Amino acid sequence: HAVDSKVGEVLLYYCYCEVKDPEKLCAWQKALCQHLHLTGKVRVASEGINGTVGGSKVATKLYIEVMLSQPLFKDILCQEDFKSSAGGSQCFPDLRVGVFKEIVPMGIDPKIVSYKETGIHLSPQEFHREVEQYLSQASQGQSDTILLDCRNFYESKIGHFQGCLAPDIRKFSYFPSYVDENLELFKDKRVLMYCTGGIRCERGSAYLRSKAVCREVYQLKGGIHKYLEEFPDGFYRGKLFVFDDRYAICSNEDIISACRYCGTLWDQYKLCSSQHCRQLVLTCPSCRSKGLTACCPVCQEKELQVTSRASGQTLKEECECTRRRPRVPIEDVSRRTLDAGKD
């Protein structure tokens, strides 16, 4: 049965548009995915739709055709808007389709900061040229540009653009506060923003623009995903983090991150072994074999306690990692200029 065949792909896409009846769109979307045996996550809101789904190549091809012919998206969504990577339905535990306030959780009412106020979209080629120029200027210590990674720290840790500023934040909903706390940093700057598939930049750039401090705000159209299709050996180094059971996809052999315990080069995430914790940890095979499988000593200890206790209690994300990290980091503006040229 071709729709169920194991060799498949994972699609990532979003579409901002006015949805009069999100509940209805949600029900239609759920039925469509079930019919095609697709798994994954789809967020529907009055501002549009955002999905990542996996299935056989036959199924994903049909899915794209149906999506492109849906009257709601007909003139907005195009073939190019679907980013695909090798995978399949096995990349997700199940199918989740739901109605939300925002199609990407930034935590700011879409009525207040709208996707319609977004930055200037740059194609992968244009973005590549901008980054090239930025890196050569930064190496001479004279750049008026910030290359901003809009993703979370665990995403940028295993792969990012050279010379980028990658905020040490755990969730995209902390991004607005990050901007607020670091306004001085963005003053009179040209900002080049990027994220995985482009969607976080749509709202992130709109938020940054609403502060009226930057000279210009640009964003990478189609995100890192589309950039890597054109420039697998470009200025993006390392792996691309994805929110499914694969954790990362790679376009080059670079490893830019290290094992949390011994420091050897390692970039394959596993969930912290402590039951209550949902954090990801980089721990290499040799450290794992020594039992170093938690995200931090506190969790490692807890794991031992929890195993010997009834599992009725859930202790969530209260470990050293979470406690040690400020929710919203404040960047040192004077230091930034010196570091820009470095990777």
Side-chain angles (χ1 to χ4, degrees):
H1 187 32
V3 175
D4 283 332
S5 81
K6 269 280 171 259
V7 192
E9 57 184 358
V10 170
L11 296 178
L12 175 71
Y13 73 92
Y14 66 88
C15 179
Y16 276 105
C17 59
E18 284 182 36
V19 180
K20 296 272 188 287
D21 190 345
E23 296 294 341
K24 189 177 166 190
L25 180 64
C26 179
W28 171 80
Q29 182 63 215
K30 195 172 197 164
L32 173 63
C33 291
Q34 284 168 343
H35 180 69
L36 294 171
H37 302 261
L38 296 173
T39 57
K41 296 176 203 145
V42 182
R43 292 175 71 98
V44 176
S46 55
E47 61 169 2
I49 187 169
N50 171 19
T52 171
V53 294
S56 70
K57 288 242 165 99
V58 174
T60 52
K61 187 171 179 292
L62 280 167
Y63 182 78
I64 294 175
E65 282 172 21
V66 175
M67 290 297 285
L68 295 178
S69 63
Q70 154 70 258
L72 264 177
F73 316 131
K74 214 171 166 59
D75 302 322
I76 315 165
L77 203 55
C78 65
Q79 186 81 37
E80 269 292 280
D81 293 320
F82 290 86
K83 298 116 206 166
S84 68
S85 53
S89 56
Q90 70 282 2
C91 296
F92 302 92
D94 51 18
L95 171 68
R96 290 178 197 178
V97 186
V99 175
F100 297 84
K101 193 167 186 159
E102 307 168 276
I103 58 172
V104 65
M106 188 168 79
I108 303 277
D109 192 317
K111 291 186 191 71
I112 297 171
V113 173
S114 163
Y115 65 90
K116 293 171 186 167
E117 305 298 320
T118 154
I120 298 161
H121 294 70
L122 299 178
S123 69
Q125 292 83 351
E126 293 168 324
F127 196 83
H128 185 76
R129 278 200 300 273
E130 281 286 349
V131 173
E132 192 166 30
Q133 201 181 343
Y134 156 71
L135 289 171
S136 78
Q137 287 174 344
S139 65
Q140 290 148 35
Q142 53 187 28
S143 182
D144 57 352
T145 302
I146 290 178
L147 178 54
L148 181 64
D149 193 317
C150 294
R151 301 170 305 155
N152 306 324
F153 75 87
Y154 53 85
E155 296 174 79
S156 53
K157 190 190 249 176
I158 61 165
H160 54 244
F161 274 95
Q162 286 164 261
C164 75
L165 167 62
D168 194 10
I169 54 176
R170 200 169 61 82
K171 290 179 174 165
F172 184 55
S173 54
Y174 298 170
F175 182 77
S177 314
Y178 175 80
V179 169
D180 296 351
E181 298 287 336
N182 292 287
L183 274 183
E184 196 51 40
L185 180 70
F186 296 107
K187 208 169 178 323
D188 302 324
K189 291 280 194 288
R190 297 171 75 245
V191 179
L192 297 170
M193 294 173 96
Y194 69 89
C195 61
T196 310
I199 187 169
R200 282 180 274 186
C201 288
E202 300 280 11
R203 294 293 305 288
S205 67
Y207 188 80
L208 190 53
R209 287 190 65 212
S210 74
K211 298 288 151 185
V213 294
C214 303
R215 214 168 76 214
E216 290 154 324
V217 180
Y218 298 97
Q219 68 198 70
L220 171 57
K221 188 175 182 340
I224 301 160
H225 235 295
K226 286 287 184 196
Y227 178 86
L228 289 177
E229 283 177 21
E230 311 264 341
F231 302 100
D233 291 301
F235 298 117
Y236 185 89
R237 307 314 308 171
K239 307 273 189 296
L240 171 57
F241 185 93
V242 287
F243 290 91
D244 60 56
D245 293 350
R246 296 170 300 172
Y247 289 135
I249 47 187
C250 79
S251 74
N252 55 54
E253 293 308 302
D254 282 9
I255 299 180
I256 64 162
S257 50
C259 168
R260 188 218 186 289
Y261 291 98
C262 71
T264 184
L265 284 175
W266 188 249
D267 63 4
Q268 291 171 39
Y269 277 121
K270 287 262 197 291
L271 273 176
C272 170
S273 54
S274 185
Q275 229 81 74
H276 66 283
C277 182
R278 302 297 298 156
Q279 310 237 21
L280 291 165
V281 59
L282 291 171
T283 162
C284 73
S286 108
C287 288
R288 289 188 76 81
S289 65
K290 294 176 191 147
L292 300 169
T293 52
C295 66
C296 66
V298 175
C299 265
Q300 200 79 50
E301 272 299 295
K302 247 183 208 176
E303 190 187 352
L304 302 173
Q305 294 165 18
V306 172
T307 10
S308 58
R309 198 176 24 182
S311 60
Q313 288 164 294
T314 51
L315 311 147
K316 195 164 188 293
E317 283 181 356
E318 258 317 302
C319 67
E320 196 181 304
C321 316
T322 311
R323 274 208 304 268
R324 267 209 322 250
R325 170 177 297 106
R327 260 177 79 116
V328 178
I330 304 204
E331 307 291 351
D332 180 345
V333 182
S334 57
R335 235 195 71 238
R336 260 305 295 163
T337 46
L338 307 174
D339 287 353
K342 298 201 191 86
D343 184 15

